Amino acid sequence: MTSTETAVASTPFPDAAGRSKGYDREAVDAFLERARDAFEASPDESDLDSAEIRRTAFPVVRGGYAISAVDAAVGRIEDAFAAREREYALSRAGARAWVGRSRNLAQEVLDRLSRPERERFDRVGALSYGYRIDEVDKVADRIARYLESGETLTVEQVRTVAFRMQRGGYREAQVDAVLDAVVSVILAIG
């Protein structure tokens, strides 16, 4: 096997197709190494947690790894860290404390989503672009039904939600923070 064949065989992800851009290989590889080291350490000694993994972003470049493959792997890594965090917290604080924290976070999200339509999040200025209000409100209604009545909602559905942009739309950072909290609640429940 040539050195090029060896390098290709050891590549963890497929390349971005054709002229499409993908995630920077070095950044992804460095993250994977950091995640592996953090997962092998005890939860007390780990410098990485599921919330930080959820916020991980990679530069997009030509010749990078296929974005969907990396995103799927990062999602699985986040799930593994969240499960480990849940087990660790249950063993240290007990089920009652863990459920209480998860319930409080779920209630914070539900309080936000219970606001009237078109008023659930701050808006960007009239000349700036934010998330489309109608699309965010539709997703917010679905999340509220999940939290109130247990309607089915998966982590993957929340992770992959995408909104178009509109002038005067909802402020992205607020919407993204609520989506992150929903992922945390779903993962906490297990």
Side-chain angles (χ1 to χ4, degrees):
M1 192 178 268
T2 68
S3 62
T4 303
E5 291 172 330
T6 303
V8 170
S10 65
T11 301
F13 301 105
D15 294 336
R19 293 181 177 231
S20 298
K21 292 185 177 185
Y23 287 141
D24 180 84
R25 294 168 178 276
E26 289 181 19
V28 172
D29 292 342
F31 167 77
L32 292 174
E33 185 173 332
R34 180 177 175 219
R36 181 177 37 254
D37 292 344
F39 197 77
E40 290 173 354
S42 76
D44 283 338
E45 299 169 359
S46 179
D47 68 337
L48 190 63
D49 64 11
S50 61
E52 186 175 347
I53 292 168
R54 188 175 320 116
R55 292 185 298 268
T56 298
F58 305 107
V60 178
V61 298
R62 288 209 184 274
Y65 290 135
I67 291 174
S68 61
V70 174
D71 285 347
V74 171
R76 290 189 300 272
I77 292 168
E78 180 190 355
D79 292 347
F81 271 79
R84 180 176 87 154
E85 291 162 12
R86 182 176 55 249
E87 292 302 316
Y88 185 72
L90 286 170
S91 70
R92 296 204 43 141
R96 186 174 302 242
W98 179 256
V99 168
R101 280 194 299 264
S102 300
R103 183 177 291 139
N104 289 341
L105 181 57
Q107 188 60 54
E108 287 177 34
V109 170
L110 192 55
D111 290 347
R112 161 73 68 171
L113 302 183
S114 295
R115 295 176 179 179
E117 284 188 11
R118 307 188 65 76
E119 297 177 19
R120 292 179 173 148
F121 299 95
D122 289 344
R123 299 242 187 110
V124 297
L127 300 177
S128 299
Y129 284 90
Y131 287 146
R132 277 197 55 152
I133 295 166
D134 60 331
E135 292 176 359
V136 172
D137 281 346
K138 184 176 180 181
V139 170
D141 290 341
R142 178 137 189 243
I143 291 169
R145 288 191 305 272
Y146 164 77
L147 294 172
E148 290 173 333
S149 63
E151 181 178 299
T152 303
L153 183 67
T154 67
V155 170
E156 199 56 36
Q157 289 170 324
V158 177
R159 282 183 184 143
T160 59
V161 70
F163 304 109
R164 292 179 291 178
M165 305 298 280
Q166 77 175 67
R167 286 184 192 255
Y170 281 143
R171 190 169 304 282
E172 293 174 53
Q174 283 189 337
V175 175
D176 291 345
V178 167
L179 293 175
D180 285 347
V182 171
V183 169
S184 293
V185 168
I186 295 171
L187 290 174
I189 294 168

